[in-house]
Amino acid sequence: RREQARLGGGVVEEDTEEWQKDVGFAGLERVGGVDLSYIKGDDTRACASLVVLSYPGLQVLYEDCRMVTVSAPYVAGFLAFREVPFLVEAVQRLQQEEPGLRPQVLLVDGNGLLHPRGFGVACHLGVLTDLPCIGVAKNLLQVDGLVRDELHREQIRSLQKEGDMFPLLGNSGRARGMALRSSNNSSRPLYISVGHRVSLETAVRLVRSCCRFRIPEPIRQVWKPRELRK
């Protein structure tokens, strides 16, 4: 908790890059995606993956998938301590091997500020790499009074078309993130939250622009090798 609090003090919840301030993201050329996926039936062997895609074309420019041994135990609310070191190493390898392909923003399969202490994996990775990061989760993390109750289900039903969204307002009154319907072909929303060096509005716009299907391409592409490995 002390380490999360210390690192959390470095989270920047606003846009810091010029491309973020442009309606069409002019100047954005590389978008990354990261994930750590476990071998089925084994919670200690996993593949740490990083891909970098062109923007706006969303073509794969770089891919790094390494098998790793995870030794830190799983503790709810502290997943980043178990997974982020391997993702940081992937970013560092990219910087050493292909510095010209360093991503200008990372989409993280997980949460950012949408976290019990406001410091999820996207925040943790962002602070340690100093890269703009966005949390993109498939399921709602129930924090700050946010629950998957009938009201929440009704809000999801109100998302009638691609681009529809609603804020995730907790008991504190703070917007922890945004629920976004990213595709007309799926009524299940994405739960987007700020990780580091990006505003929530920009995070939502960028994720939406990266979606050809429900899951944004940087994360969808990072999953592809996972299916082959299983």
Side-chain angles (χ1 to χ4, degrees), residues 44-59:
T44 62
R45 292 287 291 165
C47 185
S49 301
L50 162 67
V51 298
V52 180
L53 275 58
S54 63
Y55 188 89
L58 301 178
Q59 300 300 309

Side-chain angles (χ1 to χ4, degrees), residues 59-86:
Q59 300 300 309
V60 176
L61 302 175
Y62 175 92
E63 182 177 25
D64 180 5
C65 305
R66 302 287 179 97
M67 296 305 301
V68 298
T69 300
V70 182
S71 58
Y74 170 75
V75 180
F78 299 94
L79 179 65
F81 291 97
R82 179 173 165 87
E83 299 188 348
V84 162
F86 302 107

Side-chain angles (χ1 to χ4, degrees), residues 14 27 50 55 59 64 92 97 103 108-109 143 158 161 165 187 203 213 224 226:
E14 58 188 33
L50 162 67
Y55 188 89
Q59 300 300 309
D64 180 5
Q92 291 173 340
E97 298 171 5
V108 182
D109 184 16
V143 299
S158 75
K161 63 183 185 303
M165 65 188 80
S187 61
F213 304 96
K224 279 191 172 183
R226 174 199 307 188

Side-chain angles (χ1 to χ4, degrees), residues 156-166 178-192 204 208 211 213-214:
I156 291 176
R157 287 192 288 269
S158 75
L159 304 178
Q160 294 295 306
K161 63 183 185 303
E162 178 183 317
D164 285 353
M165 65 188 80
F166 62 84
M178 193 77 70
L180 168 72
R181 179 165 179 170
S182 57
S183 171
N184 285 326
N185 296 322
S186 176
S187 61
R188 294 177 297 162
L190 297 174
Y191 296 95
I192 301 167
V204 173
R208 185 181 176 191
C211 288
F213 304 96
R214 179 193 176 215

Side-chain angles (χ1 to χ4, degrees), residues 3 14 25 30 32 47 55 64 82 92 102 106 113 115 127 130 158 160 194 205 218 223-224 227 229:
E3 184 67 359
E14 58 188 33
F25 296 127
R30 298 174 304 282
C47 185
Y55 188 89
D64 180 5
R82 179 173 165 87
Q92 291 173 340
R102 181 178 172 86
L106 284 174
L113 295 180
H115 177 271
V127 170
D130 199 32
S158 75
Q160 294 295 306
V194 168
R205 286 197 301 118
W223 284 356
K224 279 191 172 183
E227 298 307 319
R229 287 188 295 273

Side-chain angles (χ1 to χ4, degrees), residues 128-144:
L128 292 184
T129 62
D130 199 32
L131 284 171
C133 282
I134 299 169
V136 183
K138 302 179 293 301
N139 299 298
L140 176 67
L141 185 62
Q142 302 184 66
V143 299
D144 194 18

